[in-house]
Amino acid sequence: MTKKDLGNRGEDAVCRYIQKYGYSILERNFNCPNGEIDIIAENSDTIAFIEVKSRKEQSMVSGAEAVNHVKKLRIIKTAAWYSYAKPLTKQPRFDIAEVILKNNIPSAIRYYKSAFDMTGCGIMLSFK
């Protein structure tokens, strides 16, 4: 099983998980020149930009820890691109979903709402 296959399994598990809590999936693997967002979902008042990290049970680095400052900036810039293309009517939020794999099968999800925001990112957004 490839790393991409494991990532897809993790994303599938997160989609099922958030749908149980009333979210609708708007996009999966949204790409633009700035980067990619794994899942974009919404509920009645929020649009969530979700980074999914799948990790084996005994990984040295957690999925949440793997989302470093550079990755956060890419996600923020990609979310800005998305909101430019599809103007938002709901409050945006940046979440991280950590999928724990046991024998290559998702066995647990740790979901971090509002895992990060734009505070201190110091970026200027340009859409040219």
Side-chain angles (χ1 to χ4, degrees):
M1 180 163 294
T2 68
K3 191 174 179 181
K4 179 72 175 154
D5 292 333
L6 291 175
N8 286 338
R9 280 188 176 186
E11 289 175 16
D12 291 343
V14 172
C15 285
R16 288 189 301 272
Y17 176 84
I18 64 175
Q19 286 172 324
K20 288 179 188 175
Y21 293 95
Y23 285 83
S24 299
I25 309 302
L26 300 176
E27 303 268 351
R28 283 195 57 181
N29 305 114
F30 175 79
N31 282 289
C32 75
N34 292 323
E36 181 205 23
I37 296 176
D38 295 325
I39 300 169
I40 301 172
E42 70 177 354
N43 66 10
S44 59
D45 53 53
T46 304
I47 184 164
F49 297 96
I50 306 164
E51 176 66 11
V52 178
K53 291 293 186 186
S54 298
R55 293 287 184 265
K56 292 183 181 177
E57 239 179 336
Q58 302 300 322
S59 289
M60 296 279 288
V61 176
S62 74
E65 291 171 322
V67 183
N68 62 26
H69 184 70
V70 172
K71 181 66 177 172
K72 289 174 186 175
L73 287 176
R74 283 194 194 121
I75 294 168
I76 289 166
K77 288 179 180 180
T78 304
W81 186 279
Y82 178 86
S83 66
Y84 178 75
K86 301 176 183 187
L88 303 182
T89 59
K90 298 178 180 185
Q91 181 66 37
R93 188 180 73 213
F94 298 98
D95 298 351
I96 297 173
E98 184 178 281
V99 179
I100 309 304
L101 301 170
K102 187 173 186 176
N103 299 321
N104 294 334
I105 297 170
S107 63
I109 295 174
R110 293 185 189 121
Y111 195 87
Y112 303 93
K113 285 184 181 178
S114 299
F116 61 95
D117 59 27
M118 292 180 64
T119 304
C121 68
I123 60 172
M124 295 292 292
L125 300 174
S126 175
F127 303 101
K128 293 182 180 181

